[in-house]
Amino acid sequence: MAARAVAVTGAGAVTSLGTGAGPLHRRAVAGESAFAGGEGRCADFDPAPALSRREARRTDRFCQFALVAAAEALAGAGWGRELPYEPERVACLVGSGVGGLATFETQATVLAADGPEAVSPLMVPMMMANAAAAQIALRHGLRGESHCVISACSAGAQAIGAGLRLIRSGEADAAVVGGAEAATSPIVRAAFLNAGALSPTGTSVPFDRGRDGFRLGEGAGILVLEDADAARERGAPVLAELAGYAASTDAHHLTAPDPAGESAARAVRGALADAGITPADLHYINAHGTGTVLNDRAEAAALRRGLGDALASIPLSSTKSSVGHLLGAAGAVEAVATVMALHHRTAPPTVGLRDPDPELGALDHVTTARPLTANGRGPLTALSTSFGFGGHNAVLVLRAAPGGRAA
């Protein structure tokens, strides 16, 4: 029996470019970035439109990002107070790498200064990594499978892939999926800097010859996935199709990717096979592209192994040059960016890329916004890649819905 097709009917985001999937796409396409002090913080974020003052006090910043992004995604999908599906048939899977770090740091300070009696009884439910999934499910009455995927920088993408599999297997009719992170913290900054992963200059650009590490960011990306037939039946707006997913593990090193890229390439090939396509069917790659020398080289090797000669002619860019590295939310925000790129038929650039590293081989870098055209090769189709500490690799294949918007 053919696998159930899965439609993306809603998308929401919170990033340093602003609140909303629209601002993420428009400002990234315009070549903007939003870094202050080398970090992509959501400086203007206000949870008030989506959360009451009491709710905001009882949720960590990463959870607030997720709730606001989910509200946008659900509204865009046309979900109201009455769910379009039985609540028990709607899953909620939200990845995170760190969880409620701000809450932990605040309460550790309270403990040191004022003693154990002063520690908030809400600390654990606020800081636990599954708080975002739990709060979204609670707020919207989603009673299907709900959990947090924790796989470092692949967490958001793997949560999306897990939602795809639940719908395909028939265990769910819809899923609210994505990732959230708020780890722009002095202690995280220091740890990554001392590990040699963070850019000491705060100006690094993925794939550039002079790159010296990634730049931290924060935010959330949420997608609404639905059984495609059910979505069409209810007249839902379809932004894209989630056509394929695969994941693998390097088993090479706790932090460094396998430089040969073979395990990551296996995820690339697996995602294409899952979608029933070949490398020649791809029109865009939203790359993980962190800006570290090790990651960029390993990713280029993996893509070359996975896609072969086709890689050189597929437009490729990294959204991290606009919003920073969102750790556990990275794969989810980049999936949202890919959905929007397909929907608007425009690929965002790797902002600031001026001198591509020749050691990465022949790559079709997008350095200014580029129109995406199928050129008679089927519907517009894109790859979104994620690679995380621990050797986690996750690859998504997204396909444009018919009748998307022109740029």
Side-chain angles (χ1 to χ4, degrees):
M1 186 174 69
R4 301 166 84 188
V6 175
V8 179
T9 58
V14 176
T15 70
S16 54
L17 291 177
T19 297
L24 169 63
H25 176 73
R26 289 193 302 272
R27 296 188 65 187
V29 162
E32 296 183 43
S33 59
F35 292 100
E39 290 184 343
R41 286 186 57 82
C42 302
D44 298 325
F45 173 72
D46 181 4
L51 279 69
S52 69
R53 189 173 298 177
R54 182 173 183 269
E55 288 171 325
R57 286 199 306 268
R58 289 169 170 257
T59 50
D60 186 86
R61 184 173 173 87
F62 96 104
C63 193
Q64 293 174 12
F65 291 154
L67 285 165
V68 170
E72 178 191 9
L74 289 167
W79 291 23
R81 288 177 177 269
E82 294 293 325
L83 297 176
Y85 304 98
E86 291 297 320
E88 293 78 12
R89 302 282 300 166
V90 183
C92 184
L93 314 172
V94 182
S96 185
V98 180
L101 179 64
T103 294
F104 175 79
E105 290 183 334
T106 297
Q107 293 305 312
T109 300
V110 168
L111 175 65
D114 303 318
E117 295 81 7
V119 173
S120 171
L122 295 174
M123 175 186 146
V124 171
M126 288 174 67
M127 68 169 278
M128 60 189 189
N130 65 302
Q135 288 282 5
I136 292 170
L138 178 65
R139 185 178 184 85
H140 299 284
L142 314 180
R143 295 177 182 166
E145 180 173 337
S146 174
H147 64 252
C148 174
V149 176
I150 305 176
S151 52
C153 314
S154 294
Q158 290 197 273
I160 294 170
L164 171 71
R165 288 174 172 173
L166 283 175
I167 296 172
R168 280 183 172 175
S169 70
E171 296 179 62
D173 294 322
V176 179
V177 296
E181 202 80 275
T184 51
S185 153
I187 194 168
V188 171
R189 188 184 312 120
F192 278 130
L193 191 62
N194 292 342
L198 195 68
S199 167
T201 63
T203 60
S204 182
V205 174
F207 311 124
D208 194 90
R209 190 197 300 259
R211 68 198 182 285
D212 62 1
F214 68 74
R215 292 180 283 180
L216 278 170
E218 61 177 0
I222 299 291
L223 296 175
V224 175
L225 307 181
E226 301 184 37
D227 173 87
D229 289 339
R232 278 191 294 269
E233 185 176 331
R234 73 176 187 90
V238 177
L239 298 175
E241 178 192 352
L242 180 54
Y245 166 68
S248 65
T249 304
D250 285 354
H252 168 75
H253 189 274
L254 191 60
T255 58
D258 180 358
E262 178 49 42
S263 182
R266 186 158 46 85
V268 170
R269 292 191 293 265
L272 295 182
D274 190 43
I277 64 173
T278 69
D281 297 313
L282 289 173
H283 304 91
Y284 171 60
I285 300 171
N286 190 295
H288 189 62
T290 62
T292 68
V293 172
L294 289 179
N295 176 85
D296 289 0
R297 287 179 179 171
E299 181 166 18
L303 290 173
R304 190 156 286 108
R305 282 176 175 265
L307 303 177
D309 293 340
L311 174 62
S313 59
I314 304 171
L316 174 148
S317 64
S318 170
T319 318
K320 289 182 178 67
S321 63
S322 288
V323 299
H325 193 346
L326 277 64
L327 306 182
V333 167
E334 287 152 20
V336 171
T338 306
V339 166
M340 299 302 287
L342 292 172
H343 184 59
H344 291 278
R345 308 309 203 240
T346 308
T350 302
V351 176
L353 179 58
R354 300 288 181 268
D355 185 17
D357 185 350
E359 291 190 22
L360 301 180
L363 296 171
D364 185 9
H365 293 290
V366 179
T367 56
T368 58
R370 187 183 303 183
L372 291 174
T373 56
N375 294 325
R377 295 186 291 117
L380 283 176
T381 304
L383 209 64
S384 183
T385 61
S386 293
F387 309 113
F389 273 20
H392 307 291
N393 310 304
V395 179
L396 302 168
V397 175
L398 290 146
R399 184 178 291 137
R405 301 174 185 176

